[in-house]
Amino acid sequence: MEIWAHRGCSQRYPENTILSFTKAADLKDLTGIELDIQLSKDRQIVVIHDERVDRTTDGIGEVGQYTLSELKKLNINTGNKKKEKIPTIEEVIDLLEERIKEGFLLNIELKNSNLPYEGMEEKIVDLLHKRGIQKSVVYSSFSAVSLEKIRKLDSTAEIGILDRKVSDCLYKLKGGCGASVLHPYWQGMDLPVERIQEYTVRAWLSGHLYPEKPTGTRLNLKFLEKQGITGVFLNEPEVYIE
Ligand code: G3P
Ligand code: CA
């Protein structure tokens, strides 16, 4: 079973920050990191989950209303004196470059289904090729249209289609959105395992993010495996591979 860090180690540290990614990169047997991208007003690729900055920073408003230098003035609370900043995708690549050479993967989710960012696909594909790490990346999105664009830009890219039910993921994949792997919600496994066993199926969870306290609940990975799940995006991957 592949173990991925969802938004970095996002149960113990603030999601989508250099801190949460550093903690994930320290985990030797981790498959990779999942993160979310949006575009700033001056069209820089930044790593943040929501379309708005309100939930995770001390700012208010949409990410796309701020230039990068304005976004960099916002603080992300860590529980300590040292605050984190919204990272750019380039800063995250810089951080992970050495780990990527060792086989570490990056799942980049394009957050463009609620607020479509014109040209986001071109920008991210271009950047990853320039950095020479395109083979270490899995693209994903809830938007089939966006994934189609990625496929046109890179015929060999690994692309995961996101949806809640695995049946919806498969439906979109077969509809030709360019995806090659399925990324359903972990409780959305509504197909018999025989229907999906030829696919990579990476399941995501929601909730239990920093600063919420850990619940102590542990997933039964063997049970998930029997349902056809081949990888999981976890907020607290530390406890599964320590
Ligand atoms: O990669 C799957 C997962 O990240 C999708 O949900 O809301 O955490 O971006 P969300
Ligand atoms: Ca995500």
Side-chain angles (χ1 to χ4, degrees):
M1 174 75 80
E2 290 178 357
I3 306 286
W4 292 73
H6 181 233
R7 313 185 200 176
C9 290
S10 58
Q11 161 71 92
R12 299 186 193 181
Y13 308 95
E15 68 187 63
N16 283 329
T17 58
I18 292 295
L19 177 61
S20 72
F21 299 141
T22 303
K23 296 293 177 184
D26 285 345
L27 301 172
K28 195 168 86 46
D29 295 326
L30 193 74
T31 301
I33 287 173
E34 187 268 356
L35 54 79
D36 308 284
I37 58 167
Q38 317 255 358
L39 289 189
S40 65
K41 188 177 178 182
D42 49 349
R43 301 184 54 73
Q44 302 300 306
I45 305 173
V46 287
V47 180
I48 178 168
H49 179 271
D50 300 359
E51 287 73 26
R52 296 182 65 87
V53 297
D54 308 40
R55 180 177 62 86
T56 53
T57 79
D58 56 0
I60 296 171
E62 285 176 2
V63 176
Q65 292 173 329
Y66 288 84
T67 62
L68 179 59
S69 67
E70 288 165 348
L71 285 173
K72 284 291 185 187
K73 292 187 185 128
L74 305 181
N75 294 306
I76 299 173
N77 199 357
T78 61
N80 298 312
K81 271 196 197 143
K82 188 178 175 314
K83 308 290 180 209
E84 286 286 309
K85 300 288 178 182
I86 297 171
T88 63
I89 189 69
E90 290 245 42
E91 287 165 344
V92 178
I93 295 170
D94 290 343
L95 174 78
L96 301 177
E97 208 155 32
E98 291 309 309
R99 285 292 271 123
I100 287 174
K101 284 182 194 152
E102 296 163 6
F104 204 65
L105 300 177
L106 206 51
N107 174 202
I108 298 181
E109 181 186 348
L110 287 82
K111 282 290 184 197
N112 50 6
S113 19
N114 295 336
L115 282 185
Y117 293 105
E118 188 58 42
M120 181 190 244
E121 295 80 10
E122 285 83 356
K123 283 184 82 66
I124 188 68
V125 171
D126 188 46
L127 173 67
L128 297 174
H129 279 77
K130 275 190 187 136
R131 297 293 301 249
I133 61 162
Q134 69 277 10
K135 296 280 175 225
S136 305
V137 170
V138 180
Y139 297 91
S140 62
S141 178
F142 284 92
S143 163
V145 172
S146 181
L147 297 184
E148 264 184 64
K149 289 183 191 163
I150 298 272
R151 175 57 73 221
K152 282 190 189 136
L153 293 162
D154 184 347
S155 61
T156 62
E158 183 166 340
I159 299 178
I161 180 73
L162 281 160
D163 215 312
R164 287 194 78 81
K165 292 182 189 163
V166 73
S167 58
D168 289 332
C169 292
L170 192 59
Y171 179 77
K172 287 190 200 166
L173 180 143
K174 294 205 162 165
C177 71
S180 45
V181 302
L182 310 172
H183 285 194
Y185 184 54
W186 74 291
Q187 288 177 317
M189 299 302 291
D190 61 346
L191 291 175
V193 67
E194 299 73 38
R195 292 277 308 278
I196 50 168
Q197 61 196 4
E198 67 189 273
Y199 295 99
T200 295
V201 180
R202 303 191 185 100
W204 48 278
L205 284 75
S206 57
H208 307 308
L209 293 157
Y210 177 90
E212 197 180 316
K213 296 286 171 245
T215 59
T217 311
R218 293 288 165 258
L219 282 180
N220 182 341
L221 298 185
K222 285 265 168 274
F223 178 68
L224 299 187
E225 220 166 67
K226 280 192 191 137
Q227 296 176 297
I229 293 173
T230 58
V232 274
F233 298 106
L234 300 169
N235 298 343
E236 204 179 15
E238 302 94 318
V239 298
Y240 293 87
I241 57 178
E242 250 167 14

